């Protein structure tokens, strides 16, 4: 199997340009972030932050300072509200399972939407086996949650609601403030969690102003190292640990803190927020160039998700009709353009992306979808290269489809 | 949602080569018989075109595919394997032969090879159905590959119905 991958890689030799747009699934770490992290592996603060020696105290100091910086970006009341976890998946598991455990005996109902990230969707399957029941709120054709449905389902039994602020696949910005009000009006005891991994560093997000209970953020979505995320827990909320072990500076996640990753996430946050407007305008401009260019150059395409202010600035998700997505990702890869697809084939599940299905896309539209995200480090040259490659790739794959199946 | 792993699909060089340079690609205007298998809503659909002469030998075979790289590669290799075969010989091709011929497929892509063979068998059946003859080697019962193709198509119907119902 590894031999096959070696051959696949060999087929990529001689690329004149490469553009990585699959920020949804992993990201490169810019040199300045990596350089900030490196000393923490072996020069400084490499000790365990709970122990009584210099490298330990150095680590303690660094972790506290990092927590404070991230607390400032989120506008938390205190750094105590910032809980590092090994990433988005873990923070979401902690938020949902940890809340349900702490609410045992107070209710059985959990509410999410039909378009949550896979980790949230999967956790509810686990919660079911623990006796909790999940209701999934439907969305409209732009992916916006139906608030009237939310209102209908919140009751005394509802212990937790989890709705992502920005949809990870189609960039829909949800009316979280309104959703939060509906939930708290109906049941003030209900805990409200949001996965803000695609929100943090992309659109303004202020936990204090929003007065939200729990929020997940993730390092890799802002070009930080993967393997590190944060669960914000508002003071006074009780989330139980879901793993046990040696407890250090992080009350909710046992084990030795990964100081270099925490430093990397903090550095990435600093760079994202330092010129927030400039960065997000840059993402938006390149994203618009990408979408407009594709619509101009390629017939039979559809934008998935909303346009304008309802869409996060970095997200482009487009369906190419008569063009199977996995084949397209491979063709694009061979030409140095790296994207992902909501196709059943590339996802290795028989069903296509649940998000695209939830917004009413036909299966064959979902199978031909491509997800791309722009970042502050992408250049106009990158986007122009992608726009040169994508039309040719789509044309070739459509040539293989020929007259098969799709009207 | 199931628990399938998402390890990278380790397509082998032969699959990659057939994906990049598919053999016998395209619609055949003078085909004796055409057969389709799969459903675009499953993300997998194949059309086979066969040109069959009076001696029941496949003179030409071509395909079109709405599907992943494995689907394209297996469809292409089937058209290569059966060229010049009698229909009886072509009938003996199994998805395992196809998988071997492309140097092996990732487990989750077995169904692509099965679908390709399902389409081939359907084409051969269609040929004899139309002639209203039934050679002794042609079983009445559907083969494994044909059954699988039917199942996949049935599943596609169920899924799209479920989707329309908003479940």
């Amino acid at each position: 199997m590894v031999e096959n991958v070696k051959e696949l890689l060999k087929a990529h030799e001689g690329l004149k340009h490469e553009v990585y747009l699959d920020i949804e699934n992993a990201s490169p770490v810019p040199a300045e972030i990596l350089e900030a992290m490196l000393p923490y592996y072996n020069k400084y603060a490499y000790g365990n932050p709970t122990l009584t020696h210099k490298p330990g105290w150095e680590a303690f100091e660094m972790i506290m300072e990092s927590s404070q910086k991230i607390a400032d970006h989120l506008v938390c009341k205190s750094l105590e509200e910032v809980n590092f976890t090994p990433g988005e998946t873990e923070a979401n598991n902690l938020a949902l399972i940890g809340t349900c455990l702490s609410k045992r005996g107070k209710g059985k109902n959990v509410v999410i939407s039909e378009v949550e990230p896979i980790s949230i969707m999967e956790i509810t399957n686990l919660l079911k086996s623990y006796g909790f029941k999940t209701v999934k709120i439907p969305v409209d054709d732009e992916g916006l949650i139906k608030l009237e449905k939310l209102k209908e389902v919140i009751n005394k039994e509802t212990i937790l609601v989890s709705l992502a602020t920005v949809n990870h696949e189609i960039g829909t910005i949800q009316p979280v403030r309104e959703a939060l009000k509906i939930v708290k009006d109906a049941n003030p005891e209900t805990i409200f969690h949001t996965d803000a991994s695609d929100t943090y560093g992309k659109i303004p997000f202020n936990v204090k102003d929003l007065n939200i209970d729990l929020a997940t953020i993730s390092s890799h979505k802002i070009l930080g190292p993967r393997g590190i995320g944060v669960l914000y827990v508002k003071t006074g909320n009780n989330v139980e640990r879901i793993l046990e072990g040696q407890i250090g500076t992080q009350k909710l996640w046992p084990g030795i803190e990964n100081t270099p990753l925490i430093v990397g996430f903090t550095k990435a946050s600093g760079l994202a927020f330092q010129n927030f407007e400039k960065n997000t305008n840059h993402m938006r401009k390149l994203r618009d160039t990408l979408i407009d260019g594709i619509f101009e150059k390629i017939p039979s395409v559809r934008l998935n998700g909303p346009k304008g202010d309802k869409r996060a600035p970095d997200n482009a998700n487009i369906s190419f009709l008569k063009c199977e997505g996995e084949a397209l990702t491979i063709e694009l890869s061979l030409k140095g353009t790296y994207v992902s697809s909501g196709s059943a084939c590339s996802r290795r599940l028989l069903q296509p992306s649940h998000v695209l299905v939830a917004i009413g896309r036909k299966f064959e539209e979902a199978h031909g979808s491509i997800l791309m995200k722009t970042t502050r480090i992408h250049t106009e040259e990158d986007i122009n290269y992608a726009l040169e490659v994508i039309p040719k790739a789509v044309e070739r794959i459509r040539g293989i489809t020929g007259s098969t199946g799709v009207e | 949602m199931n628990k399938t792993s998402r390890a990278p699909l380790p397509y082998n060089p032969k699959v990659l080569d057939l994906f990049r340079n598919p053999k016998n690609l395209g619609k055949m205007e003078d085909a004796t018989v055409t057969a389709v298998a799969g459903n675009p809503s499953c993300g997998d659909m194949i059309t086979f075109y066969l040109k069959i002469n009076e001696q029941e030998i496949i003179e030409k075979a071509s395909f079109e595919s709405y599907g992943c790289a494995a689907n394209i590669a297996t469809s292409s290799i089937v058209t290569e394997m059966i060229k010049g075969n009698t229909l009886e010989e072509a009938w003996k091709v199994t998805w395992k032969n196809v998988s071997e011929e492309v140097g092996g497929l990732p487990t989750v892509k077995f169904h692509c090879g099965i679908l390709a063979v399902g389409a081939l068998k359907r084409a051969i059946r269609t040929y004899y159905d139309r002639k209203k003859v039934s050679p002794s080697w042609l079983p009445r019962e559907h083969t494994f590959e044909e059954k699988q193709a039917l199942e996949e198509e049935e599943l596609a119907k169920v899924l799209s119905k479920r989707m329309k119902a908003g479940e």
Side-chain angles (χ1 to χ4, degrees):
Chain A
M1 271 192 5
V2 178
E3 283 311 309
N4 290 345
V5 173
K6 282 184 177 152
E7 290 293 326
L8 283 172
L9 293 175
K10 212 185 271 176
H12 288 76
E13 279 170 9
L15 289 168
K16 62 169 177 157
H17 195 100
E18 290 177 87
V19 186
Y20 186 88
L21 293 163
D22 189 19
I23 303 300
E24 167 57 17
N25 292 304
S27 74
V29 179
E32 58 184 323
I33 294 173
L34 196 57
E35 278 157 21
M37 293 165 62
L38 286 176
Y40 292 86
Y41 279 105
N42 57 12
K43 299 257 186 314
Y44 187 80
Y46 44 77
N48 184 319
T50 58
L51 291 178
T52 47
H53 45 55
K54 182 169 160 272
W57 285 316
E58 286 169 345
F60 183 86
E61 180 190 35
M62 193 60 212
I63 291 169
M64 289 305 125
E65 285 178 6
S66 295
S67 300
Q68 186 58 57
K69 283 178 186 163
I70 289 177
D72 290 343
H73 296 310
L74 285 170
V75 200
C76 300
K77 286 191 204 98
S78 127
L79 64 83
E80 299 281 321
E81 297 178 325
V82 171
N83 299 278
F84 288 106
T85 71
E88 177 183 358
T89 300
E90 291 82 352
N92 284 342
N93 271 268
L94 178 59
L96 271 65
I97 302 169
T99 298
C100 286
L101 290 176
S102 80
K103 291 268 188 182
R104 264 169 305 190
K106 303 216 171 112
K108 290 272 182 202
N109 293 357
V110 174
V111 176
I112 65 168
S113 84
E114 285 182 343
V115 295
E116 297 306 307
I118 296 283
S119 56
I120 300 284
M121 308 299 279
E122 290 283 342
I123 298 161
T124 62
N125 291 339
L126 183 68
L127 291 175
K128 191 177 171 188
S129 69
Y130 295 162
F132 296 95
K133 198 180 145 229
T134 302
V135 179
K136 291 176 190 160
I137 305 293
V139 296
D140 68 13
D141 59 1
E142 291 187 325
L144 287 156
I145 44 166
K146 295 188 172 164
L147 291 172
E148 69 280 7
K149 294 276 179 196
L150 180 65
K151 207 169 191 171
E152 279 169 28
V153 302
I154 305 296
N155 56 37
K156 289 280 161 254
E157 280 283 301
T158 313
I159 49 173
L160 172 68
V161 173
S162 178
L163 298 171
T165 303
V166 169
N167 184 271
H168 60 295
E169 275 190 43
I170 55 172
T172 312
I173 301 172
Q174 300 291 357
V176 168
R177 193 179 296 273
E178 289 82 349
L180 195 55
K181 186 171 184 316
I182 288 169
V183 170
K184 295 288 179 176
D185 283 353
N187 183 351
E189 299 299 313
T190 304
I191 297 297
F192 199 113
H193 168 255
T194 189
D195 185 338
S197 301
D198 276 274
T199 311
Y200 184 70
K202 315 278 177 81
I203 63 167
F205 181 70
N206 177 328
V207 292
K208 192 177 164 192
D209 172 54
L210 204 53
N211 197 20
I212 201 159
D213 298 306
L214 308 171
T216 293
I217 58 172
S218 164
S219 167
H220 99 248
K221 296 268 174 104
I222 55 163
L223 300 171
R226 76 197 67 171
I228 188 81
V230 158
L231 181 67
Y232 158 80
V233 180
K234 187 168 80 178
T235 306
N237 280 331
N238 188 20
V239 173
E240 281 194 20
R241 276 195 299 276
I242 57 172
L243 295 178
E244 287 303 336
Q246 180 181 301
I247 302 302
T249 60
Q250 304 302 305
K251 295 181 296 292
L252 295 180
W253 205 270
I256 303 167
E257 295 81 346
N258 197 325
T259 311
L261 293 185
I262 290 173
V263 169
F265 187 14
T266 307
K267 178 76 180 173
S269 300
L271 291 167
F273 284 89
Q274 195 176 8
N275 294 301
F276 185 83
E277 291 270 318
K278 192 178 151 226
N279 290 337
T280 53
N281 284 338
H282 179 77
M283 288 173 205
R284 187 178 292 107
K285 185 169 165 256
L286 294 186
R287 190 276 314 271
D288 288 345
T289 307
L290 185 60
I291 293 178
D292 293 347
I294 287 170
F295 271 75
E296 198 178 295
K297 290 171 183 228
I298 308 173
S300 301
V301 293
R302 295 187 74 166
L303 180 68
N304 299 313
K307 279 183 185 166
D309 292 345
K310 283 183 281 182
R311 191 180 194 103
D314 59 334
N315 179 295
N317 188 322
I318 294 175
S319 285
F320 301 89
L321 304 181
K322 292 189 75 171
C323 186
E324 199 280 323
E326 190 226 66
L328 184 57
T329 61
I330 297 173
E331 181 69 6
L332 287 172
S333 177
L334 292 166
K335 303 288 187 280
T337 300
Y338 311 125
V339 304
S340 65
S341 170
S343 153
C345 271
S346 79
R347 293 158 57 86
R348 313 185 59 150
L349 309 164
L350 192 61
Q351 294 186 42
S353 150
H354 67 286
V355 174
L356 297 179
V357 171
I359 63 168
R361 286 285 179 261
K362 289 183 200 151
F363 279 16
E364 46 269 47
E365 291 169 337
H367 289 309
S369 73
I370 293 294
L371 171 57
M372 298 167 282
K373 288 181 186 176
T374 55
T375 66
R376 61 182 176 80
I377 60 167
H378 282 107
T379 63
E380 239 170 83
E381 194 196 0
D382 289 334
I383 303 305
N384 290 339
Y385 181 74
L387 284 174
E388 203 180 294
V389 166
I390 295 169
K392 288 178 199 156
V394 171
E395 198 183 338
R396 191 177 92 80
I397 302 301
R398 282 180 175 169
I400 297 172
T401 307
S403 56
T404 289
V406 197
E407 338 54 286
Chain B
M1 244 162 269
N2 69 27
K3 307 282 181 196
T4 318
S5 97
R6 289 184 71 187
L9 289 171
Y11 285 137
N12 66 54
K14 180 97 187 192
V15 172
L16 184 66
D17 185 47
L18 286 163
F19 167 71
R20 299 179 89 173
N21 308 296
K23 289 180 180 156
N24 311 318
L25 171 68
K27 192 172 179 170
M28 192 192 294
E29 296 299 342
D30 60 342
T32 318
V33 63
T34 302
V36 175
N39 187 303
S41 65
C42 273
D44 263 322
M45 191 168 192
I46 299 163
T47 309
F48 268 126
Y49 303 92
L50 304 182
K51 173 83 178 159
I52 300 162
N53 71 14
E54 280 171 11
Q55 286 76 48
E56 299 191 340
I57 289 170
I58 299 168
E59 284 184 341
K60 279 196 295 180
S62 74
F63 80 100
E64 290 176 314
S65 155
Y66 172 79
C68 61
N71 192 301
I72 294 164
T74 51
S75 305
S76 183
I77 205 76
V78 166
T79 58
E80 279 289 283
M81 288 165 77
I82 60 172
K83 225 192 297 180
N85 275 9
T86 62
L87 290 179
E88 187 178 359
E89 286 164 341
W91 182 265
K92 288 180 187 147
V93 171
T94 66
W95 74 270
K96 281 187 183 147
N97 302 145
V98 172
S99 177
E100 276 162 26
E101 201 67 25
V102 293
L105 286 170
T107 319
V108 291
K109 297 293 185 184
F110 282 173
H111 75 109
C112 298
I114 297 170
L115 195 67
V117 175
L120 168 67
K121 298 208 160 166
R122 220 171 246 183
I124 295 172
R125 256 191 217 285
T126 308
Y127 174 79
Y128 286 113
D129 283 352
R130 227 182 269 160
K131 284 184 78 175
K132 296 199 170 70
V133 290
S134 183
S136 58
W137 51 263
L138 186 68
R140 286 207 184 151
E141 285 271 299
H142 278 144
T143 58
F144 168 72
E145 291 92 347
E146 290 170 286
K147 278 183 202 155
Q148 289 289 308
L150 283 168
E151 261 179 43
E152 195 166 321
E153 288 153 7
E154 202 48 47
L155 182 65
K157 271 188 223 157
V158 172
L159 290 176
S160 29
K161 254 187 221 159
R162 219 186 271 170
M163 195 178 85
K164 273 177 202 143
E167 274 174 40

